[in-house]
Amino acid sequence: MTSRLASITIDATNPSVVADFWCAVLGWQVIEEDDEGIGIGPSDQAWPSLEVFAVPEAKSVKNRLHFDLRADGVSTAVELERLLGLGARRTEVGQGPEVSWVVLADPEGNEFCLLSRTVQDLPNHE
């Protein structure tokens, strides 16, 4: 027997803003919503989903876990501009100028990276 990753949870003071941001970034949709939080996922209901739960306190330290994204079907530069247009912002977490990825943050400051190689640049991409 093994476990299956069911969902990844993000704490937020404003769950709807964070859920809307990640829906736009990933092309996902809200799959459930209640007073405690919002679940989002792909239209085919594939796992894992993201759960955005309300918390009273704002983010205060660097994430210990973060997402790494790859542009898919467009250049990394085009995807970076799209993410910035959706409300992401560049952030510093101690990365040096020599890194090949861009560190960004969602509207509540949760860090994520946009990797330099696109999905199509990967060796085993079909």
Side-chain angles (χ1 to χ4, degrees):
M1 297 302 261
T2 62
S3 294
R4 185 171 183 181
L5 186 58
S7 65
I8 300 164
T9 302
I10 301 172
D11 291 342
T13 58
N14 192 337
S16 62
V17 169
V18 174
D20 288 348
F21 173 81
W22 285 106
C23 279
V25 167
L26 300 171
W28 287 7
Q29 62 192 19
V30 172
I31 54 176
E32 70 178 307
E33 185 171 0
D34 61 29
D35 292 340
E36 295 178 357
I38 302 168
I40 68 170
S43 60
D44 66 1
Q45 304 280 319
W47 289 8
S49 63
L50 287 178
E51 305 287 335
V52 185
F53 282 102
V55 296
E57 70 280 349
K59 181 181 171 303
S60 61
V61 298
K62 177 183 161 215
N63 293 4
R64 297 284 304 239
L65 175 73
H66 69 269
F67 302 134
D68 284 345
L69 305 180
R70 286 192 193 281
D72 188 1
V74 297
S75 72
T76 300
V78 168
E79 182 63 358
L80 176 59
E81 289 308 310
R82 186 181 80 88
L83 295 171
L84 293 170
L86 292 172
R89 65 183 187 284
R90 291 177 184 262
T91 192
E92 293 290 325
V93 293
Q95 75 275 19
E98 71 286 349
V99 299
S100 62
W101 58 87
V102 178
V103 181
L104 301 165
D106 74 11
E108 288 207 3
N110 298 297
E111 299 93 8
F112 65 98
C113 295
L114 178 61
L115 302 176
S116 61
R117 294 191 328 175
T118 69
V119 170
Q120 290 71 31
D121 291 335
L122 297 177
N124 294 324
H125 176 70
E126 305 271 334

